[in-house]
Amino acid sequence: MSDLFTDLKQKLHNKDIKIVLPEASDERVVEAASKLSEDKLVTPVLIGDEAEVKQKAGDLGVQVDQCEIINPASYDRFDEMVQAFVERRKGKATEEDARKILQDENYFGTMLVYMNEAHGLVSGAAHSTADTVRPALQIIKTKPGVKKTSGVFIMVRDEEKYVFADCAINIAPNNEDLAEIAVESAETANLFNIDPRVAMLSFSTKGSAKSEETEKVEQAIEMAKEKNSELVIDGEFQFDAAFVPSVAQKKAPDSPIQGDANTFIFPSLEAGNIGYKIAQRLGNFDAVGPILQGLNQPVNDLSRGCSVDDVYKLSMITAAQSLE
């Protein structure tokens, strides 16, 4: 785990990246912001009343002098932000609506990212996933050619690093969704110095069973290759055929992946969520994430049970995503 974040720290050195942390009323967020600024990894942008945020920091015995603190009630570009929001929502919000909506720290913080006043946002310590993701989908939106965002976990154990997706967002992805997830997950793998070798998972290996589910995966592989012809990707694989060389030799001898996959695309959220938690709890892997991918600018969601360290690390990841 330490190697993973050592690499990220090197990427972030002297990059002057600003990450919005909207939940400045949360003690964990204030402590993480202090540590991030002291370590000079990113400049945290805290949303709230400056006096109240500094009082909370003082009570916690930490410093936020190197953080930016922005109060929506006194923000000097608020009128400009309102107009930008109305234009972005294309008739779905009036100016009056916008002024109310932008009092919400997640919407306000997301607009700071959209207006290039910051490079990314991390929220969720005190909000639901929907409260974090909804403003991102409405304002930042997905990248050209990507219809849906998806969520990955980086699974880390000692020197081992793997990408698992989608384990957070899409309940029943279709073939096009799976292709997008595969391509985006390969890009995320590169972010963590993982040379992506993508395995599309199923209950079948190379046609050992036939069903709508396996055909969906087969189609997704071809679509992913069309999106990125250089991508090393194959399937459909049972997990052991993607991960164990001796099994791959028997079940998929002609595959470019011979038990050496490191980026695993699950056929459904159900499978992905179960899979990463089994690896985490039985395999003693650390699960870093979920990391959202596919957005024009990075926004990531914390668990409401997160620790100070979780906020710190996800802020680093978000900053690194902004460099891609």
Side-chain angles (χ1 to χ4, degrees), residues 218-267:
E218 290 175 11
Q219 293 161 5
I221 294 166
E222 296 309 312
M223 290 177 176
K225 289 177 180 178
E226 290 174 7
K227 290 176 180 289
N228 182 351
S229 60
E230 297 181 359
L231 189 62
V232 180
I233 182 171
D234 204 13
E236 82 283 13
F237 288 127
Q238 293 161 292
F239 184 83
D240 56 354
F243 192 71
V244 181
S246 60
V247 177
Q249 192 172 25
K250 291 176 182 176
K251 291 189 174 183
D254 299 324
S255 174
I257 291 177
Q258 285 296 300
D260 54 357
N262 53 30
T263 302
F264 300 94
I265 310 303
F266 292 84

Side-chain angles (χ1 to χ4, degrees), residues 1 8 39 43 71 98 114 148 164 203 214 257 263 267:
M1 179 70 85
L8 286 184
D39 291 348
T43 299
N71 186 346
Y114 175 67
K148 296 180 180 178
F164 282 18
F203 57 83
T214 61
I257 291 177
T263 302

